[in-house]
Amino acid sequence: MCSPSPIRHIEAGEVISSDGSTPNLRNASIIIDASGIIEWVGPTADIPSPHRGKRPDLEASVVMPGMIDAHVHLAFDGQADPVENFMASTPQQRHQQMLRSASALLNVGVTTARDLGSGMDELDLFRSTSKKSRRGSLNLLASGPPITTPDGHLWYMGGGVSDIHQAEQYIDTLAASKQVDWIKVMVTGGFTTKGTTPGQTQFSHDFLNTIAIRSRAHSLRIAGHAHGTTGIAQAAQCRFDSIEHCSFITEDGLPDFSPSIADEIKRLGIIVSPTQNQLALERIRTKSAIADHIGAVIRELDRRGVPFAIGTDAGIAGLSHGKYLGGLLALQEFGISSTRLVHSATHGTAAALGIDRTTGAIATGLRADLLLLNGSPERDLETLESPQAVVSQGWLVTSA
């Protein structure tokens, strides 16, 4: 990371707008106002007169929007046992870990992330630090501690509830904190919490439906962690806004894809974040059976037109926050083109998370979250490995 400095003028050989409708611009310029918003973008030959003939602050072969990670755990360190490290640390220590994680994401071009699991104390500290700095910090959406059973998946974050009344009170508390943008629910167990099973559901349909209703009453969207097919069906029936992982497995962990549930997910417009990452890429390349199954699930969802949000689950064991590219390469292995993945990592995920009027594309009026590269990732995703520079909210936050 470099010391943040304001950026007002960028010139590029190619600008990837990524909004799905505007073609890439050749020999273009981007003008950014003092509040970090894109004021103008277009051919350099047409640049407004106040900026004509002036030397740009930055130059690059290619500029694209900053990328978005829709599923991270900033307070996890990605080491061999992040859960043990989390439980043994103080909120202040976890806050410092969140800052390190945010820095690692920015370094690889991720300018916006959705944190789907941290304690409220460290989240409050992170929000406060970002508000005071306002100099190119990571743009963060967050859920706070997920709703789970008292001994369920991620219980140690503080979101365990034993009955629906307690769950409703908990949602009210989260909403009143003004620190969360989403409510996350552990519909099924997980792989990293002892005593829980990823394929088994943790709540009844009525319980989950009440959570969904209460969350919407506070204008909060709902993300459902669901590996098991029954849990995925529950999340869809309760019209959650996003389904995380969406692994389609039985209670015993066996492949269990359901075409009818996939069709319902598509019909309802529910987002799926399949959380592919560097670890998944390694499983794909070693031809593991679970990778084959997940690949088949992703292809079936994609064939139906289910909207994806690119998320990596960064912070879990063996997955640091600087390995975003691995998730894109994993999805490419499943047949998704590099051009589509660039769109998905930016405007596609912004639209899925409801923030496309703020970020995710290079257009007038959007936040200047930008990634400067030496080549086009639409032709070769590997160019994302070493960004030339990263701009967040109009501030240069890292440069080669």
Side-chain angles (χ1 to χ4, degrees):
M1 294 283 286
C2 62
S3 179
S5 58
I7 300 299
R8 299 289 174 262
H9 181 185
I10 299 172
E11 286 188 6
E14 181 179 10
V15 169
I16 301 173
S17 65
S18 201
D19 65 2
S21 59
T22 305
N24 294 357
L25 295 171
R26 303 286 180 180
N27 301 316
S29 291
I30 302 166
I31 302 301
I32 304 165
D33 70 19
S35 63
I37 301 298
I38 297 172
E39 181 180 305
W40 184 89
V41 58
T44 299
D46 299 334
I47 196 167
S49 57
H51 307 280
R52 195 169 297 155
K54 292 185 178 179
R55 184 179 179 84
D57 299 313
L58 294 171
E59 296 178 273
S61 296
V62 176
V63 179
M64 64 174 278
M67 298 182 291
I68 302 170
D69 194 327
H71 191 130
V72 304
H73 297 283
L74 294 183
F76 280 174
D77 59 17
Q79 299 301 309
D81 196 342
V83 172
E84 181 179 344
N85 295 341
F86 179 98
M87 294 175 70
S89 58
T90 66
Q92 290 74 21
Q93 290 170 326
R94 293 194 288 268
H95 168 230
Q96 291 302 311
Q97 177 58 51
M98 291 181 78
L99 293 174
R100 289 191 293 272
S101 301
S103 178
L105 287 170
L106 286 167
N107 275 336
V108 298
V110 174
T111 53
T112 301
R114 181 178 57 155
D115 186 290
L116 289 179
S118 60
M120 282 305 296
D121 288 341
E122 54 264 29
L123 178 59
D124 287 345
L125 289 169
F126 184 89
R127 294 283 202 202
S128 178
T129 300
S130 298
K131 188 174 181 180
K132 289 176 182 175
S133 170
R134 289 195 170 278
R135 292 191 172 191
S137 56
L138 180 74
N139 303 293
L140 189 68
L141 303 173
S143 69
I147 296 175
T148 189
T149 57
D151 56 356
H153 187 38
L154 300 195
W155 62 268
Y156 48 83
M157 288 186 174
V161 296
S162 40
D163 57 53
I164 191 57
H165 178 65
Q166 198 175 53
E168 288 180 308
Q169 286 186 321
Y170 180 61
I171 293 168
D172 293 345
T173 299
L174 288 177
S177 76
K178 305 296 184 184
Q179 302 294 341
V180 305
D181 313 277
W182 286 72
I183 297 295
K184 184 182 181 184
V185 186
M186 294 305 192
V187 181
T188 69
F191 290 99
T192 62
T193 304
K194 294 177 182 177
T196 74
T197 303
Q200 290 182 350
T201 59
Q202 297 197 137
F203 298 106
S204 69
H205 168 85
D206 288 346
F207 195 107
L208 293 170
N209 197 48
T210 302
I211 288 173
I213 291 170
R214 192 65 158 223
S215 299
R216 292 192 191 99
H218 290 291
S219 298
L220 293 170
R221 303 178 81 184
I222 315 109
H225 160 107
H227 286 289
T229 303
T230 301
I232 294 167
Q234 287 180 315
Q237 290 161 4
C238 296
R239 302 198 175 194
F240 279 24
D241 296 284
S242 76
I243 299 176
E244 309 302 305
H245 312 299
C246 204
S247 305
F248 280 102
I249 57 175
T250 65
E251 290 191 0
D252 296 324
L254 300 174
D256 189 31
F257 179 72
S258 169
S260 62
I261 296 173
D263 289 340
E264 187 70 355
I265 290 170
K266 162 60 179 172
R267 186 184 72 81
L268 294 170
I270 295 171
I271 304 151
V272 168
S273 180
T275 56
Q276 294 301 285
N277 50 42
Q278 182 67 33
L279 301 177
L281 179 64
E282 292 165 6
R283 288 193 292 269
I284 292 165
R285 291 177 173 172
T286 56
K287 302 187 183 305
S288 77
I290 188 63
D292 289 343
H293 166 63
I294 295 300
V297 168
I298 289 172
R299 290 187 191 98
E300 285 292 336
L301 293 173
D302 187 49
R303 185 174 65 82
R304 286 168 169 78
V306 171
F308 288 147
I310 304 295
T312 65
D313 218 0
I316 62 171
L319 187 68
S320 70
H321 290 270
K323 297 183 178 178
Y324 183 85
L325 175 59
L328 298 182
L329 293 174
L331 291 167
Q332 187 178 49
E333 291 277 351
F334 296 143
I336 302 176
S337 72
S338 56
T339 298
R340 282 188 59 203
L341 287 168
V342 169
H343 173 77
S344 295
T346 54
H347 186 265
T349 297
L353 300 182
I355 55 173
D356 52 314
R357 293 187 178 183
T358 303
T359 192
I362 299 178
T364 301
L366 296 188
R367 193 169 59 215
D369 298 333
L370 307 167
L371 181 54
L372 283 68
L373 303 165
N374 292 316
S376 173
E378 293 186 326
R379 292 182 283 276
D380 181 6
L381 283 175
E382 298 281 359
T383 60
L384 294 169
E385 183 71 37
S386 302
Q388 178 184 332
V390 179
V391 175
S392 180
Q393 304 172 47
W395 288 80
L396 176 66
V397 293
T398 183
S399 61

